[in-house]
Amino acid sequence: MPKYIQYWTWEEAFQRNGFGDGDEWVGTYLIEKFLEERGYKVDSGGGMHNLQILNVVGPDGVDSDAPRSYLPAELVKALDAHFHEEFTVSNE
């Protein structure tokens, strides 16, 4: 079986066209799990494109337009640390 590697960032889970417009591997579920484990309620959905995070409800309630600008700084730092810049997925 040929090796498949996809480079991605956690922000793609918030983008309609993230993860190759949904035609490639989709990791939204990993970001959902990460947020839920930290006490956030995550609403996601999709259609013909990527399954995306539509809303994250925390202490203040937030929207999904630009996650780096509205998620708490400590959560962005934790997401960056856990899903670092060179995060990859492999079929091995």
Side-chain angles (χ1 to χ4, degrees):
M1 172 180 260
K3 184 176 183 178
Y4 172 79
I5 297 175
Q6 180 173 331
Y7 295 94
W8 59 284
T9 63
W10 63 265
E11 292 98 337
E12 290 185 65
F14 292 83
Q15 299 168 355
R16 178 176 174 256
N17 296 325
F19 298 105
D21 203 22
D23 291 334
E24 299 175 8
W25 174 86
V26 176
T28 302
Y29 71 98
L30 293 171
I31 308 306
E32 287 176 320
K33 181 179 178 197
F34 184 87
L35 293 170
E36 288 170 347
E37 287 173 348
R38 283 153 182 79
Y40 290 84
K41 181 178 183 255
V42 179
D43 294 317
S44 60
M48 295 175 51
H49 299 280
N50 176 39
L51 172 67
Q52 74 183 95
I53 295 173
L54 302 171
N55 195 37
V56 178
V57 177
D60 298 327
V62 291
D63 197 307
S64 64
D65 292 335
R68 281 192 178 274
S69 68
Y70 70 77
L71 289 175
E74 67 275 3
L75 185 57
V76 170
K77 188 175 182 178
L79 283 160
D80 285 340
H82 188 78
F83 300 102
H84 50 81
E85 189 172 322
E86 294 299 318
F87 201 84
T88 62
V89 174
S90 176
N91 67 346
E92 294 186 312

